[in-house]
Structure formats: structure tokens, C-alpha cells
Amino acid sequence: MAAARRFMRREFGRTRLTKTAKSLIVVNEMRHLAASNVPPFPPSVALSAASRLFSDKDLLRLVVPLIIEQFLVFSLGFSDTIMAVWLGESEASGVSLVDGICVLVSTLFSAMATGGVVVCAHYFGSKKDRMVSLAAKQLIYTMFGIGLALSALGLLLRERLLPRLFGDIDGEVMAASRIYFFYTLLSFPLSGLYSAAAALFRAQGNSRVSMYTSLLVNVLNISGNALCVFALGWGVAGVAIPTLVSRGVAGILLLALLYRAKPYRGRPAVDIRGLFRVRVDFRVIKHILAIGVPNGVENSMFHLGKILVLTLVAAFGTPALTANAAVGNLALLSTLPGSAVGAAVLIVVGQCLGAGKPDEAAYYVRRLMAGTYIAMFAVNIVLLLTAHPVIAVFGLEDDTEAFALRIYMSHCLCAMLIWPPSFALPNALRAANDAKFTMTVSMLSMWLVRVGLSHVFARYTDWSVVGTWVAMYADWTVRGAIFAARFLGGAWRRHYQLD
């Protein structure tokens, strides 16, 4: 109203017109502004609380369970590592080697789930309930099919695959790797089901179900490890089998909950009834893959780049390698809240764009990015204050501990300042069907900046392992600047329609 009154004073202050004439002219001016896609009022005025798709409480209900779930996922991997260490060095090494393969597969599932979340969120926003159901079924078919194919291929090639990947390693380590790899391969289809079903609940805006299911997975896995490793003495198999069982139970439970077709806070249900009457719709699968494949390629290249940098770190000697490994595990903690908010960005922006409200999507991105910074500052300040006792837990040598402390503190500082636009903001672009752009930028920045500068610093400075982390921070800065420019420039608005 204030903008309208200013417009009236500017245009009619010295002209005598009837109220009706003035009203008609104002209405025509507002129509002209709307036709030119320029919001007539500032976002704070135009987006009244009543018209928003998500209230502040809705955002909290979405984000808080996602943060808890991220922590549970972190603790699950940590518990498996601890159990393997209890068995001995050979067993721990074998599990660690296979975990590298598991990370790649998990990355693939996460990428496909991202595509499914975006597509379903768009259909939720546009209130196309039938398309939500269709897309949900296609996501389940796709991810279960990928898991089944990877499992079958791995079982056929596992005797030759591991020696080719890991070379001439100790016999006991190879034996442990083969046992762990066998059960891991069996879990791939179940992991695909679990990831797809959890993603569908998140797309609905219901992150509590996936949080509670993740808690169940942790309980089953940790208690199963304790039973199978300590009570039954199954060795490496005792670490792998509980993971297989927990993922299977969680996946079946989530599918059963989806079959109930229960709405969530006014949003329609994800109805997968009729799932077993398989009908493949390649048009919908194409939409999922259009976002999932670029995201998968981006994440795979990211992990490959990390491996190449790790080979460089190994050349700096044992203290540098040990410090890098210690901080690498802790670094995940410093970005947990940002990863959770990034997942929320996919859902919120996807639903807004599905409803044809790009301005509202931009409004929520700003709100969620502000929340990301607040959460990242809160977590990382605590980590900085406790840096010395945390690093001391590893019992490192003095030189190694000095390396680790410098890396750890620098990572916490950079996670607060430059991580959010580099990793949380691009999810807004992916939700706008702009995944090819994020893939291209991420790959170029990874190879040219992070890998390139790591070699430059290694050759021309005496920074040792610290140089590889500085190169990573430079990569974050470049990515974040480009993604911020893309978002603020509004180019993503041209891509968000699925059809």
C-alpha cells in the first residue's frame, strides 16, 4: 500500500482526477509491472505470511530433523570403523578399502535421490497428485534397478575386481576385503530402496520419518555389530551383516509407510499403491536422470579429485598423511548443519517452483542461506573452542599434532565463511533444473583450482599438507562466487519448468 500511495502522489499530486479514475490508472500500472515480471512491491511486502507455502515453523520442522539425521549418518559410519578396529589392523584395513567403493555407490544413490526429490517437489508444488505418485514409483524402480545391476555386476567380478583396484596387498587384508565386499554387494538393492523411500518423504516435507528411520538403522546396526562381532565372533562378516539387515528393514518399513498414503500437514500423500504392477514411464525417469546424472557425475569427479590430492599428500610423509586423515574425519562434523539445510533447499525451492512462484523460491533461499550461516557459526565456534582437546584425543606425535591443529582450525573458519555458497546454494540451482551448470562449474573448479593449486603449492612452497587444504578453500571460494552470481543474476529462472 505504501508503494501505491507513493505512486499516486507522484503521478496525480497536481492533477485533479476522480477517485475512480485514479484507481483505474493504478490498476493498469500494476498490471503493466506484473506483465514485465517486476514485483510491484519489495519481497517483504509482496510475500505476506498468509500467502507463503512454508511458514517459519514449517522450515524448522523440515530442517531440524535433517540436521539430526545427518549426525546419525555420520555416527553410523564411525561406529562401523570402531568395530572394525576392534577386530585388528588387517580387518580394519580391509573394511576401510571397501568403504571407498561404498562411498561412490552412496554418492550415486544420493544423486539419483536428489533428482527424485526435485521432480516430486515440483509436482507437489503444482498440485499434480497423480504425477507425484507416478514419479515416486519411477524413482523406486530406478534406484532399485541401479542397486540390483551394481550388485549383480559386482558379484560376477568381485574375485578379479578387488585385486585390480587395490593391487598387491597383504593376504589377510585382501581376505577381509572380499568378505566385507560380498555382504556390501548384497546390500546395494536394499540401500537403493531405502534411499528412494526416504527421499520421497523429504520431498513431501516430512523429514521426521527419515530421521526416525535413520535412528532405527543406527540402533539395529550398532546392536547387531555388538552381537555379531563380540558375542558370535563372526569377524568382518559381523560388521557387514548388521548393515545389510538394518538397511533392508529400514527400506521395507519406509515402503510400508508410503503404502499407507498418509497426507502430511496439508500436503498430499506420496501414494505408491500399485507399485508391484510395474509400469515404467521413461518420460518421468528422464526428468529424474536429467538432475540425478549431472549431480552423480559431479560428485564422482569430486571424489576422484580428492583421491588424486590424497596421493599427493602421501608424498609429504607419514606425519602429514596421519594429520590429513585425522582432520578428514572431523571435518564432516563442521559441515553437518550446512548439508542438512542444503537438503531442505532442494525441497522448498522445488515446491515453490512447481507452484510457479520463483520469487517466493528466491525469498526462501535467502532465508535458508541465512539459517545456514547461523548454524555453521554456532557449530564451528564450539569446534574451534574445543580444538586442542579434540585433536589431543588422537594421541598424535608433536609434529603431526601441530599439522592437524592448523588444518582443523583453518577448516572450521572457512566452513563458517565460504562453505555455504559453495555447497548449500547450488542445491537451489539443482532444484531449478539447472544441474548441468552446477556440474560444469564444480568439475572445472575441482580440477583447475583444487587439484591444480595443490600441485603448484606442493612444488613451489614449503606448506606441505596445509597447501592442499588451502587449495581446497580456493576451490570453495571460486565455486561459491560463481554460484552466487548465477543465483543473483536470475539465469536459473529460465530452466525451472520440467515440461
Side-chain angles (χ1 to χ4, degrees):
M1 292 304 295
R5 283 196 296 270
R6 287 195 298 270
F7 176 80
M8 294 278 285
R9 284 196 298 269
R10 185 177 72 249
E11 298 296 329
F12 312 124
R14 298 181 181 179
T15 304
R16 297 188 65 184
L17 293 173
T18 65
K19 289 184 178 181
T20 302
K22 290 181 180 180
S23 299
L24 288 173
I25 294 173
V26 171
V27 168
N28 285 333
E29 179 67 15
M30 294 300 105
R31 286 176 177 170
H32 171 71
L33 289 170
S36 62
N37 292 323
V38 178
F41 307 116
S44 59
V45 176
L47 289 176
S48 65
S51 66
R52 295 174 193 161
L53 290 178
F54 294 86
S55 67
D56 290 342
K57 287 185 178 180
D58 290 333
L59 294 179
L60 283 175
R61 291 191 192 102
L62 180 63
V63 170
V64 172
L66 286 172
I67 293 175
I68 297 172
E69 183 180 350
Q70 288 289 324
F71 178 77
L72 291 171
V73 170
F74 171 80
S75 63
L76 180 64
F78 191 72
S79 67
D80 275 355
T81 302
I82 294 297
M83 289 294 177
V85 169
W86 271 94
L87 292 172
E89 291 187 4
S90 297
E91 288 79 1
S93 299
V95 170
S96 176
L97 290 173
V98 175
D99 274 341
I101 301 173
C102 295
V103 167
L104 285 176
V105 174
S106 297
T107 297
L108 177 61
F109 285 147
S110 177
M112 292 299 109
T114 296
V117 166
V118 171
V119 171
C120 288
H122 272 254
Y123 289 139
F124 269 120
S126 58
K127 302 188 184 303
K128 296 179 180 178
D129 296 355
R130 189 186 69 82
M131 291 304 296
V132 171
S133 174
L134 179 62
K137 293 173 185 175
Q138 302 311 307
L139 177 63
I140 293 171
Y141 296 151
T142 301
M143 294 188 66
F144 181 74
I146 291 173
L148 204 58
L150 290 174
S151 181
L153 186 64
L155 288 170
L156 286 173
L157 301 177
R158 70 187 180 99
E159 293 298 327
R160 287 174 288 176
L161 182 62
L162 293 181
R164 282 186 175 274
L165 286 175
F166 306 136
D168 186 19
I169 60 176
D170 181 78
E172 292 184 0
V173 174
M174 179 59 74
S177 296
R178 283 183 168 139
I179 295 171
Y180 191 71
F181 191 45
F182 172 73
Y183 290 104
T184 299
L185 287 170
L186 295 181
S187 74
F188 286 167
L190 300 174
S191 295
L193 280 180
Y194 169 65
S195 299
L200 292 173
F201 275 108
R202 294 191 204 104
Q204 188 189 27
N206 186 356
S207 57
R208 292 175 63 189
V209 169
S210 60
M211 177 193 70
Y212 286 129
T213 307
S214 186
L215 178 61
L216 174 64
V217 168
N218 271 45
V219 170
L220 290 175
N221 193 67
I222 293 172
S223 59
N225 280 339
L227 173 66
C228 297
V229 172
F230 297 119
L232 300 177
W234 287 357
V236 173
V239 178
I241 291 174
T243 302
L244 168 65
V245 172
S246 61
R247 289 296 174 92
V249 170
I252 293 170
L253 175 62
L254 286 174
L255 285 180
L257 291 173
L258 287 172
Y259 248 88
R260 294 171 58 195
K262 187 176 179 181
Y264 178 75
R265 296 190 177 277
R267 291 180 175 83
V270 181
D271 189 354
I272 63 167
R273 287 175 292 188
L275 177 70
F276 299 106
R277 296 192 295 272
V278 178
R279 295 179 181 176
V280 178
D281 189 313
F282 289 103
R283 183 176 62 89
V284 175
I285 291 177
K286 180 182 176 183
H287 290 321
I288 295 172
L289 296 179
I291 297 165
V293 169
N295 195 29
V297 172
E298 173 188 337
N299 291 339
S300 298
M301 292 298 103
F302 178 77
H303 285 289
L304 180 59
K306 286 177 67 176
I307 292 171
L308 290 178
V309 171
L310 188 60
T311 61
L312 190 64
V313 172
F316 294 132
T318 302
L321 190 59
T322 305
N324 189 79
V327 179
N329 289 324
L330 294 172
L332 294 173
L333 277 175
S334 66
T335 59
L336 278 180
S339 299
V341 179
V345 168
L346 281 173
I347 300 160
V348 173
V349 173
Q351 290 199 18
C352 289
L353 295 180
K357 298 181 176 182
D359 291 332
E360 190 165 341
Y363 166 80
Y364 284 122
V365 171
R366 290 191 292 270
R367 293 290 302 274
L368 289 169
M369 287 301 295
T372 303
Y373 271 106
I374 292 170
M376 294 288 276
F377 266 80
V379 169
N380 283 281
I381 286 173
V382 173
L383 294 178
L384 283 170
L385 293 174
T386 59
H388 286 276
V390 167
I391 295 297
V393 169
F394 290 91
L396 305 174
E397 298 290 337
D398 290 343
D399 290 345
T400 306
E401 184 173 322
F403 267 134
L405 195 58
R406 288 168 62 191
I407 296 170
Y408 181 63
M409 296 184 74
S410 68
H411 184 275
C412 291
L413 287 170
C414 291
M416 288 190 288
L417 299 173
I418 58 178
W419 190 93
S422 180
F423 290 95
L425 183 59
N427 274 351
L429 303 179
R430 294 184 187 104
N433 203 23
D434 204 10
K436 289 182 181 178
F437 177 82
T438 62
M439 175 191 71
T440 303
V441 170
S442 298
M443 289 175 60
L444 289 175
S445 181
M446 178 71 186
W447 291 101
L448 296 179
V449 180
R450 184 172 180 179
V451 176
L453 283 181
S454 292
H455 282 83
V456 169
F457 293 149
R459 173 173 257 183
Y460 299 108
T461 73
D462 58 355
W463 294 355
S464 183
V465 67
V466 176
T468 63
W469 288 77
V470 173
M472 182 179 74
Y473 306 146
D475 170 36
W476 290 4
T477 304
V478 171
R479 286 163 48 104
I482 295 173
F483 291 144
R486 180 76 164 185
F487 175 75
L488 294 173
W492 55 275
R493 295 171 184 259
R494 298 195 297 267
H495 303 275
Y496 75 84
Q497 294 291 347
L498 291 179
D499 297 313

